[in-house]
Amino acid sequence: MLFVLRNRAYRRLFTAQVVALVGTGLATVALGLLAYDIAGAAAGSVLGTALAIKMVAYVAIAPAIGALADRLPRRTLMVGADATRAAVALLLPFVDQVWQVYVLTFLLQAASAAFTPTFQAVIPDVLPAERDYTKALSLSRLAYDLESLFSPALAAALLSLITYNWLFLGTVFGFVASAALVIGAVLPKPAAPTAARSGSVYARATAGTRLFLAVPQLRALLTLDLAVAAAGAVVTVNTVVYVRDHLNRSVADVPWALGAYGAGSMTVALLLPRVLNRASDRAVMLRGALLLPLLFGGLSVITAADNGNWRWPALLTAWALFGGAGSTVLTPAGRLLRREVAPQERTAAFAAQFSLSHSCWLLTYPLAGWLGATAGLQSAVLALGAIALGAGLLAVRLWPSQEQAGAEHDHTDLPDDHPHLAGATRIASGWRHHHAHLTDTLHAHR
């Protein structure tokens, strides 16, 4: 897996991702503790609202960036976003009001909505071979999981020496280091935009969404994102409440609970490249999603228990399993996008994926926080578990098997310039979408 780091440009970009996410992980822990200091037992509600604001920024800003990305240098866009995030992080230690948390959260995440889709769209250009790109996706998943594993562990160690407000300085360092690494990376020239990307700002901003609505696999990906968001929201929003109030444990245990989630996700991400050599993306991703409702059932048992020393290790196990199941869905998602979307549409597609997937989090974050605070943790678990179950079953229905796709799918719902339609037309008129998709000729065309 690590051989892809021999590519100098990818190595610098991956390192930038790692250091930025370590800093972000420190901020995640510190923000939870800050919310608890300001709001006490209502911290879950504050976090839920703050994270909902984060999702609003992602949903609103990412499509706009997708519309403008073809007209801005990708390096300039990423470095500017990192500089903005570092400046905002400098202000976080001075927050003492809930509204300040909300304002700074929006500014910070608006910059992230500019950086992340641009970064994701660059990687397939840096590593054009699918085998290399698959390994890069696993490494990227590992980097994201540092936010849930290494950063909380580092935060736990630092909290024994300093107050949590100082953790925000680690966030500043991470974004500054990320900007410096991106500046030094040599990035490939992006593909020329298609006609659909050269129209009005509105047309460019919605091009990626239209691609998602046209392709069954991408429609299924959105429902899978909703299932993962339901699980992730319980972990992100209510971990501090589970640890501090439900289990009556110390502040230092909050990072370890978050770390268990990251450990499960990282373990699966390490195994997935070999698994994906033998199993289809569809099989892996659907099974991961359908595991989530079972895990919610186990969490309901933990939540219902009023006492018992077994609850703490059981919670850590549940969080690790949630992380692993989520990773089976999230890690291969980039492969799906790369396969279904032409190179010149990737920035728009990744921006749309970023925006639409975070629309799911926009629903589940406040639901987890508000239900947990008003109706109790058990109500939040049951509601989000039902969402995960419904989303998983819908994904099974929406994502056709190879046999179904070859027999049933046609191109009447695809844009005129969609890569599959063009490729199928060039190979042989009347071939079905997925048959054309699996041919070497179409891969060469794309």
Side-chain angles (χ1 to χ4, degrees):
M1 181 186 296
L2 295 179
F3 77 86
V4 294
L5 294 175
R6 295 175 185 173
N7 183 303
R8 185 175 184 273
Y10 176 69
R11 183 170 65 248
R12 294 184 73 89
L13 292 173
F14 176 71
T15 306
Q17 182 183 27
V18 169
V19 295
L21 285 172
V22 169
T24 301
L26 294 177
T28 299
V29 174
L31 187 62
L33 297 173
L34 173 64
Y36 191 80
D37 266 3
I38 294 174
S45 179
V46 172
L47 277 178
T49 303
L51 292 171
I53 292 171
K54 169 183 174 179
M55 296 303 109
V56 168
Y58 283 177
V59 171
I61 300 299
I65 295 300
L68 298 174
D70 293 331
R71 288 153 173 76
L72 296 173
R74 295 187 291 186
R75 179 184 288 104
T76 300
L77 188 57
M78 289 190 286
V79 171
D82 271 336
T84 300
R85 295 192 291 184
V88 172
L90 276 175
L91 300 176
L92 287 171
F94 306 103
V95 165
D96 59 5
Q97 300 291 326
V98 170
W99 70 267
Q100 295 169 350
V101 173
Y102 297 158
V103 170
L104 292 179
T105 294
F106 179 84
L107 295 175
L108 182 68
Q109 303 309 331
S112 293
F115 180 92
T116 303
T118 307
F119 176 90
Q120 291 172 335
V122 166
I123 302 303
D125 293 337
V126 174
L127 298 171
E130 181 166 309
R131 181 182 175 217
D132 294 344
Y133 182 56
T134 299
K135 295 183 183 301
L137 288 175
S138 291
L139 285 176
S140 182
R141 184 73 253 159
L142 293 175
Y144 278 112
D145 290 334
L146 287 172
E147 183 177 345
S148 301
L149 182 60
F150 176 75
S151 295
L154 178 61
L158 292 174
L159 285 172
S160 66
L161 303 173
I162 58 176
T163 60
Y164 68 81
N165 280 331
W166 291 97
L167 296 180
F168 289 118
L169 293 181
T171 304
V172 176
F173 171 80
F175 292 143
V176 170
S178 173
L181 288 162
V182 172
I183 289 173
V186 178
L187 304 182
K189 184 179 179 179
T194 61
R197 299 285 296 148
S198 58
S200 67
V201 172
Y202 175 79
R204 297 197 305 272
T206 58
T209 300
R210 285 184 278 116
L211 282 173
F212 264 80
L213 296 178
V215 182
Q217 291 90 332
L218 300 186
R219 292 198 295 267
L221 177 58
L222 292 181
T223 64
L224 293 174
D225 285 334
L226 178 59
V228 173
V234 167
V235 175
T236 304
V237 174
N238 286 323
T239 289
V240 66
V241 182
Y242 267 104
V243 173
R244 298 287 285 134
D245 286 350
H246 190 63
L247 301 180
N248 297 315
R249 299 188 70 89
S250 69
V251 168
D253 286 328
V254 172
W256 295 114
L258 293 172
Y261 181 82
S265 182
M266 289 180 70
T267 300
V268 170
L270 284 169
L271 298 174
L272 274 179
R274 292 185 179 181
V275 173
L276 291 171
N277 284 335
R278 300 189 299 270
S280 69
D281 293 346
R282 181 182 188 273
V284 171
M285 295 171 74
L286 291 180
R287 288 172 184 172
L290 294 175
L291 176 61
L292 290 172
L294 300 178
L295 298 178
F296 270 105
L299 180 60
S300 178
V301 174
I302 298 170
T303 307
D306 292 329
N307 52 62
N309 293 332
W310 61 271
R311 294 181 301 162
W312 173 238
L315 183 70
L316 294 178
T317 301
W319 267 207
L321 292 173
F322 271 126
S327 187
T328 63
V329 175
L330 297 177
T331 303
R335 282 165 49 103
L336 195 60
L337 282 168
R338 178 182 181 272
R339 187 177 300 123
E340 299 295 331
V341 177
Q344 61 267 31
E345 300 288 352
R346 281 178 186 155
T347 300
F350 276 102
Q353 159 69 357
F354 191 81
S355 175
L356 294 171
S357 65
H358 284 92
S359 298
C360 301
W361 294 91
L362 179 59
L363 168 67
T364 58
Y365 270 149
L367 188 61
W370 295 336
L371 275 180
T374 59
L377 290 174
Q378 188 69 279
S379 295
V381 169
L382 294 176
L384 291 166
I387 290 174
L389 176 61
L393 294 176
L394 181 58
V396 173
R397 183 176 179 84
L398 288 175
W399 193 338
S401 65
Q402 293 294 340
E403 293 78 9
Q404 292 171 326
E408 299 174 5
H409 190 80
D410 61 32
H411 298 291
T412 58
D413 59 343
L414 295 178
D416 291 341
D417 59 350
H418 191 275
H420 291 305
L421 180 57
T425 302
R426 292 185 184 187
I427 296 171
S429 176
W431 277 28
R432 296 301 184 184
H433 167 75
H434 290 283
H435 184 87
H437 166 66
L438 292 173
T439 63
D440 292 336
T441 305
L442 180 57
H443 282 302
H445 163 66
R446 291 171 56 198

